[in-house]
């Protein structure tokens, strides 16, 4: 009499072959009782048990069996069984690792989302109080320069922090598909003027010009989100032309769409790197080599917002010469007819 063997295989990691079940006079220990029942119920004639081993861990046992008149398995079949078991073990391990990676990504995204939400409240509060202090200071008859300069530094850095936090928040919204648009009518010409006006405040080295149609151009879209898109592209144009120079915002009309091109004469982008630009955390090598800091999130979010409008974004650039980012937006909301 011999034991069914399932637990022996699990424990030893050695394969086992029973070429003739009827001659083997199987007995089952309590732990193998179920297996014993199956062998009897299926009237197995022969079977082989091979451990599924990966990195010295036994994940389980693969059973090969014959019934009835089929030729019984012999020791010669074992190498094939073991090769199959090896593949099965790899597949199981891969699936496990994949699930683990997915779970880690989910935890990371969740952390990112919570962290950016939690950072937003204190940042907004610091900014508010700094602005309050600045107003009070400026109202005094002789504002103290020793207070004004550090206060401005606090404001500037908090604004920067705020922008980073907002980008992180948007990233987690994009990743979870929760960045929603509030549809309305957008006057593209005045939007361009507004963005240019604000950008001029942040630089005295660049000349920012807008060329738009005389008549108002109204499209369907989310005013605030489109402002964010343009603001981002113009800020990039400023950031990546540290020597200064002209930056132009040009609006062109097509029958069913409008296109807006933002052109700078900055550091440009190496041709080989253009295709990766809209991926998150992507920064071109020539940008990373400068002192210009960035997370590489802006264009990823811009791309998402433009796509949600049913539009496209493209880039044309020559390293050392300058770049043009062009967004094309349909005049009507996608899915809306007439
Ligand atoms: P960030 O500016 O924070 O790095 P973005 O997502 O806005 O992130 O941009 C991604 C990358 O695209 C930048 O790091 C830079 O390499 C490149 N880039 C974007 N705009 C310009 C531009 N106007 N001129 C040159 N490179 C640019």
């Amino acid at each position: 009499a011999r034991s069914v063997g399932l637990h022996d295989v699990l424990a030893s990691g050695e394969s086992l072959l029973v070429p003739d079940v009827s001659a083997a006079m199987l007995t089952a220990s309590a732990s193998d009782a179920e297996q014993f029942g199956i062998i009897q119920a299926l009237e197995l004639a022969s079977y082989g048990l091979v451990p599924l081993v990966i990195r010295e861990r036994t994940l389980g046992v693969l059973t090969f069996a014959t019934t009835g008149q089929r030729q019984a398995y012999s020791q010669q079949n074992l190498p094939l069984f073991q090769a199959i078991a090896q593949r099965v073990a790899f597949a199981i391990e891969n699936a496990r690792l994949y699930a683990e990676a997915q779970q880690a990504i989910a935890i990371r995204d969740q952390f990112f989302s919570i962290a950016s939400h939690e950072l937003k409240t204190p940042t907004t509060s610091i900014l508010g109080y700094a602005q309050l202090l600045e107003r009070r200071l400026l109202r005094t008859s002789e504002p103290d320069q020793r207070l004004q300069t550090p206060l401005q530094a606090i404001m500037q850095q908090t604004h920067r922090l705020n922008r980073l936090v907002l980008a992180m928040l948007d990233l987690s919204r994009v990743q979870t598909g929760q960045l929603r648009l509030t549809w309305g009518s957008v006057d593209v010409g005045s939007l361009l003027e507004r963005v240019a006006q604000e950008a001029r405040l942040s630089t005295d080295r660049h000349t920012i010009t807008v060329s738009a149609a005389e008549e108002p151009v109204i499209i369907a879209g989310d005013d605030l989100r489109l402002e964010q898109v343009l603001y981002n592209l113009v800020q990039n144009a400023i950031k990546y032309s540290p020597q200064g120079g002209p930056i132009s915002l040009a609006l062109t009309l097509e029958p069913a769409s409008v296109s807006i091109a933002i052109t700078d004469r900055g550091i440009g982008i190496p041709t080989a790197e253009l295709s990766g630009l809209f991926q998150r955390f992507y920064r071109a090598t020539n940008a990373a080599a400068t002192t210009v800091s960035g997370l590489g999130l802006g264009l990823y979010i811009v791309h998402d917002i433009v796509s949600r409008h049913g539009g496209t974004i493209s880039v044309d650039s020559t390293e050392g010469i300058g770049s043009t980012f062009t967004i094309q937006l349909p005049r009507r909301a996608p899915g809306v007819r007439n």
Side-chain angles (χ1 to χ4, degrees), residues 192 209 230 248-252 259-263 324-327:
L192 287 178
T209 53
L230 294 174
S248 69
L249 285 70
L251 174 64
T252 324
S259 75
I260 302 163
I262 291 134
T263 304
T324 297
F325 284 82
T326 308
I327 60 173

Side-chain angles (χ1 to χ4, degrees), residues 153-171:
I154 292 176
M155 297 247 298
Q156 213 173 21
Q157 294 306 318
T158 320
H159 268 303
R160 196 166 150 211
L161 188 61
N162 199 38
R163 276 198 301 277
L164 291 175
V165 171
L166 290 179
M168 282 168 63
L169 262 178
D170 276 346
L171 172 69

Side-chain angles (χ1 to χ4, degrees), residues 23-278:
M25 294 196 300
L26 294 179
T27 60
S29 60
S31 50
D32 276 349
E34 193 185 349
Q35 182 84 357
F36 188 50
I38 294 172
I39 292 168
Q40 288 183 315
L42 295 178
E43 295 178 12
L44 297 188
S46 69
Y47 67 89
L49 301 175
V50 227
L52 297 168
V53 181
I54 194 100
R55 282 190 257 134
E56 287 160 25
R57 263 185 322 117
T58 306
L59 305 176
V61 175
L62 195 60
T63 306
F64 297 84
T66 61
T67 55
Q69 299 307 310
R70 275 205 62 197
Q71 194 186 347
Y73 288 140
S74 69
Q75 292 293 338
Q76 282 163 359
N77 296 109
L78 267 184
L80 177 65
F81 295 167
Q82 282 160 344
I84 294 172
Q86 191 59 62
R87 290 189 177 211
V88 172
F90 271 127
I92 292 173
E93 183 69 352
N94 281 346
R96 197 186 61 75
L97 289 176
Y98 181 75
E100 223 171 62
Q102 290 296 310
Q103 200 187 2
I105 289 170
I107 291 171
R108 182 202 66 189
D109 288 351
Q110 198 184 4
F111 169 77
F112 208 75
S113 163
I114 293 171
S116 44
H117 272 103
E118 291 302 315
L119 284 170
K120 191 171 174 354
T121 316
T123 313
T124 311
S125 163
I126 295 172
L127 200 57
Y129 281 114
Q131 280 165 340
L132 183 78
L133 283 180
E134 191 185 42
R135 276 203 299 276
R136 286 201 184 149
L137 188 68
L138 291 177
R139 246 185 264 137
T140 55
S141 50
E142 274 178 53
D144 186 342
Q145 191 62 36
R146 283 174 316 170
L147 291 181
Q148 219 175 327
T149 312
L151 199 52
Q152 264 162 5
I154 292 176
M155 297 247 298
Q156 213 173 21
Q157 294 306 318
T158 320
H159 268 303
R160 196 166 150 211
L161 188 61
N162 199 38
R163 276 198 301 277
L164 291 175
V165 171
L166 290 179
M168 282 168 63
L169 262 178
D170 276 346
L171 172 69
S172 73
R173 287 192 187 115
V174 170
Q175 280 170 341
T176 54
Q178 278 169 353
L179 193 144
R180 298 213 172 81
L181 299 183
T182 311
W183 289 91
S185 298
V186 181
D187 180 340
V188 187
S190 66
L191 178 61
L192 287 178
E193 283 298 345
R194 211 159 68 220
V195 170
Q197 201 68 40
E198 197 172 337
R200 285 181 194 119
L201 297 177
S202 64
T203 174
D204 44 20
R205 287 206 271 182
H206 300 83
T207 329
I208 302 173
T209 53
V210 176
S211 67
E214 289 289 317
E215 76 275 20
V217 179
I218 312 290
I219 66 166
D222 183 328
D223 205 39
L224 281 179
R225 287 296 183 186
L226 288 180
E227 179 173 335
Q228 177 185 351
V229 164
L230 294 174
Y231 185 78
N232 222 304
L233 294 176
V234 175
Q235 285 303 329
N236 274 353
I238 294 174
K239 244 168 60 169
Y240 296 109
S241 49
Q243 310 293 333
I247 292 171
S248 69
L249 285 70
L251 174 64
T252 324
L253 306 182
E254 279 133 51
S257 64
V258 299
S259 75
I260 302 163
I262 291 134
T263 304
D264 65 62
R265 292 202 201 139
I267 62 172
I269 300 148
T271 311
E273 297 181 46
L274 285 174
S275 59
L277 228 53
F278 299 101

